[in-house]
Amino acid sequence: MTNPFSRSSIFRRLRLAALLLAVATATWIAPSRALADDATTAPAAEPVVNTAFDRAGMGAPSLVPADYTAVDPETATTKDLATNLDKVATATGKTGIAVNMVWTLVAGFLVMFMQAGFALVETGLCRAKNAAHVMSMNFLVYALGMTGFFVCGYALMCGGNGKVPAVINSTDNAVLDGAVKVHVGEHDWTIFGKKGFFLSGNKYDASALTWFLFMMVFMDTTATIPTGALAERWKMASFFIFSLFVGGFIYPIYGGWLWGGGWLSQLGQTSLGVGALDYAGSSVVHLQGGALALVTSWLLGPRIGKYGADGKPKPILGHNIPMVILGTFVLAFGWFGFNAGSSLAADGRIGVVAVNTMLASASGALFAGLYMWLIHSNKKPDPSMMCNGMLAGLVAITAPCAYVAPWAAFVIGALAGVIVVWSVFFWEKMGIDDPVGAISVHGVNGLFGLLCIGIFADGSYGPVGFLYDPAGWKQFAAQSIAGIVCIAWNLIAGGIIFYAIGKVLGSNRVSPEVEIAGLDLAEMGAPAYPELYDLITADQVPQEQIDAARAELAAV
């Protein structure tokens, strides 16, 4: 071993220290001299403002524009001052656009993260043998729905809007002016858009792309909802194809009718209030997803073992309630972006929206738990139902969140918390097997939230409900029409497409032996928890168990 205290070792260390000191000195002196030279020989650089980058809306311009002309306050004319004031106002407006775009993008990022919440809730409410399959659907639907929306969904939904919403539109160009309209009566009615396929052409615009991102993550929520209702029996190939259709066709058509300048939003032309409204998506997002979940669950049939020989439903418990509760908190957090972000602007209304969202989520959880504890025969504050109550309150407040007072938000959430309990047991008795309660949370309460605008809106931000003005029945009528159209469109279009996919693939459902063994191995090739249960493959399921399952499904 080398002696660290020998003369040669000490000299080597001294040489190394001297070298490091020389490098450090050179590193410090060189930049310092350069900065000193710049300070003495070069004038201070003017800030680069109002560049093409700024004018495109891609960056935040300076509040002092480059063409601002300094004037002597003693000799300046009114025209000089007015000219400079106009220049500053223009630059300030561009800064406002930039702030709104950043707010919209950040809110969109929050909504995207809600996908993790859905994955946790749905997986926790299902059995361990299917956990990898359910989680994978929640993961893959993000890519599938986005692909469909990118290819044609955005164009169909927003391509006829005329232009990007003004609060994030820095160029004020009508880049989405490809509306397909029909003339009925004395009015033109927009049916769908035809500009923006593959985000091509003049849709390659900062504002249009910002709007695309925000609309896309909303669509993804709709596409996710059926994955919970069809969990534990949905064939992966069928899920793959159906999700493309949701993002590319089913969701965008109704979405365009309400959010893309379409005919439902134009009902104000016939004096039905201000036209159908849905501030953040109780119907555009949630009712659509709930209606799709209803028709596909009915077509797919219940899980094996859900109903006894007498036809009465039997509980099939989820495997991880803490996962469900954690996922619900993730969703509640992301919902602030969902609702407040729908302003597309960092203005005062986002405070109203955020508080209303929070109040409705709390009252939904509270009253769902109290109902189960005090009124329902279980007499226990069921944790999964409390979670569904919170989500139901959030869904219900999503449409009216910007139009109602805080007291009304609390009432809406409380009512939603009770409605979701009633609805879950109703659909179960009707023979519709929904493992996570998606139909009740999103469908039933999505419709309730849509109608709440016509009931509780106080006129502070536009619409007035009939609680405040007898003429509010017109707004309620517009909301009702939108709800009926939403349900009908998704039941018909979604049902036909789902049925056709089943015919092409042979079935939308896995075989009984796969369902009994669990979908993880057969469909995904990887179990979620190999150490927690005895793994069996589909070919290891006893034949008598398969025959009994087939007979049960045939009877249903």
Side-chain angles (χ1 to χ4, degrees):
M1 180 181 294
T2 303
N3 182 5
F5 299 104
S6 66
R7 179 177 299 178
S8 59
S9 296
I10 291 174
F11 277 126
R12 279 197 301 271
R13 296 189 184 203
L14 288 175
R15 286 196 299 269
L16 178 60
L19 178 61
L20 292 175
L21 180 60
V23 171
T25 301
T27 305
W28 176 76
I29 290 176
S32 299
R33 291 191 59 183
L35 290 173
D37 291 341
D38 288 344
T40 56
T41 62
E46 290 292 332
V48 180
V49 294
N50 275 353
T51 62
F53 185 71
D54 291 332
R55 289 192 294 275
M58 295 295 288
S62 168
L63 291 180
V64 181
D67 56 354
Y68 184 90
T69 304
V71 296
D72 186 341
E74 296 182 358
T75 60
T77 65
T78 302
K79 182 179 180 180
D80 293 332
L81 295 175
T83 300
N84 278 343
L85 182 61
D86 181 65
K87 293 175 181 177
V88 172
T90 300
T92 303
K94 292 179 180 179
T95 300
I97 293 292
V99 171
N100 291 340
M101 291 179 72
V102 170
W103 164 247
T104 302
L105 289 171
V106 170
F109 304 156
L110 283 173
V111 178
M112 181 271 176
F113 187 63
M114 290 173 67
Q115 195 66 42
F118 280 116
L120 291 170
V121 170
E122 293 180 9
T123 304
L125 287 172
C126 294
R127 289 166 289 187
K129 64 182 181 179
N130 301 311
H133 185 266
V134 177
M135 187 68 78
S136 296
M137 287 196 298
N138 276 268
F139 175 79
L140 191 56
V141 75
Y142 175 71
L144 292 169
M146 185 194 304
T147 300
F149 200 65
F150 165 68
V151 171
C152 59
Y154 181 64
L156 294 173
M157 180 175 176
C158 304
N161 192 60
K163 59 184 178 182
V164 180
V167 290
I168 57 170
N169 182 20
S170 57
T171 58
D172 201 35
N173 292 329
V175 297
L176 299 168
D177 57 352
V180 174
K181 300 180 179 182
V182 296
H183 187 81
V184 178
E186 300 178 354
H187 307 288
D188 289 328
W189 306 90
T190 298
I191 306 303
F192 58 87
K194 60 179 182 179
K195 283 223 178 155
F197 294 96
F198 295 95
L199 293 176
S200 59
N202 61 352
K203 271 56 64 188
Y204 186 51
D205 172 88
S207 300
L209 294 180
T210 297
W211 201 27
F212 166 80
L213 184 145
F214 197 70
M215 291 292 98
M216 193 289 299
V217 291
F218 274 57
M219 173 281 306
D220 190 54
T221 298
T222 299
T224 299
I225 293 170
T227 64
L230 305 183
E232 303 199 287
R233 61 210 192 275
W234 198 4
K235 186 182 292 185
M236 180 59 69
S238 172
F239 152 78
F240 193 102
I241 300 170
F242 187 72
S243 297
L244 288 171
F245 273 100
V246 173
F249 178 67
I250 301 173
Y251 170 87
I253 295 298
Y254 176 80
W257 292 343
L258 206 55
W259 282 354
W263 66 274
L264 286 173
S265 66
Q266 297 173 306
L267 289 175
Q269 297 179 144
T270 61
S271 299
L272 286 180
V274 296
L277 293 172
D278 186 349
Y279 189 78
S282 286
S283 72
V284 174
V285 177
H286 299 285
L287 180 54
Q288 285 211 88
L292 290 174
L294 174 60
V295 68
T296 53
S297 293
W298 176 68
L299 289 171
L300 199 64
R303 291 168 291 174
I304 295 171
K306 178 61 182 175
Y307 293 91
D310 56 0
K312 292 183 178 181
K314 297 186 292 184
I316 299 179
L317 301 179
H319 81 284
N320 196 323
I321 292 300
M323 183 184 290
V324 177
I325 296 174
L326 177 61
T328 303
F329 269 123
V330 170
L331 287 168
F333 174 68
W335 227 288
F336 288 116
F338 204 98
N339 287 0
S342 293
S343 63
L344 305 180
D347 59 20
R349 195 188 301 198
I350 62 177
V352 175
V353 172
V355 169
N356 284 343
T357 300
M358 180 174 62
L359 289 171
S361 70
S363 61
L366 177 62
F367 279 80
L370 287 174
Y371 186 90
M372 292 296 295
W373 197 357
L374 303 177
I375 298 175
H376 194 266
S377 58
N378 287 351
K379 298 299 181 183
K380 300 290 183 183
D382 183 88
S384 63
M385 202 61 80
M386 285 192 294
C387 289
N388 274 344
M390 176 172 282
L391 298 177
L394 288 164
V395 168
I397 198 59
T398 294
C401 57
Y403 310 124
V404 301
W407 72 265
F410 189 87
V411 171
I412 290 170
L415 292 173
V418 176
I419 289 171
V420 74
V421 176
W422 292 346
S423 180
V424 164
F425 291 111
F426 169 79
W427 292 116
E428 190 177 59
K429 291 178 181 177
M430 294 294 294
I432 302 296
D433 182 16
D434 180 0
V436 304
I439 300 169
S440 302
V441 170
H442 301 279
V444 174
N445 279 287
L447 177 62
F448 173 60
L450 184 70
L451 298 177
C452 281
I453 294 177
I455 303 172
F456 294 100
D458 61 7
S460 297
Y461 290 103
V464 180
F466 60 68
L467 280 183
Y468 289 87
D469 186 343
W473 71 266
K474 294 182 179 180
Q475 187 63 48
F476 185 82
Q479 301 303 120
S480 301
I481 292 172
I484 293 170
V485 169
C486 181
I487 295 170
W489 166 251
N490 284 275
L491 291 182
I492 295 171
I496 291 174
I497 291 172
F498 191 78
Y499 180 81
I501 292 171
K503 287 296 183 181
V504 171
L505 295 178
S507 176
N508 286 309
R509 183 173 181 145
V510 299
S511 65
E513 51 266 41
V514 168
E515 186 175 344
I516 293 170
L519 278 66
D520 281 4
L521 284 177
E523 289 282 289
M524 306 309 302
Y529 314 109
E531 72 282 5
L532 294 183
Y533 62 95
D534 294 330
L535 295 175
I536 61 171
T537 58
D539 57 1
Q540 294 174 322
V541 178
Q543 186 60 45
E544 59 270 20
Q545 196 172 356
I546 297 173
D547 293 339
R550 294 185 187 279
E552 178 185 329
L553 293 175
V556 173

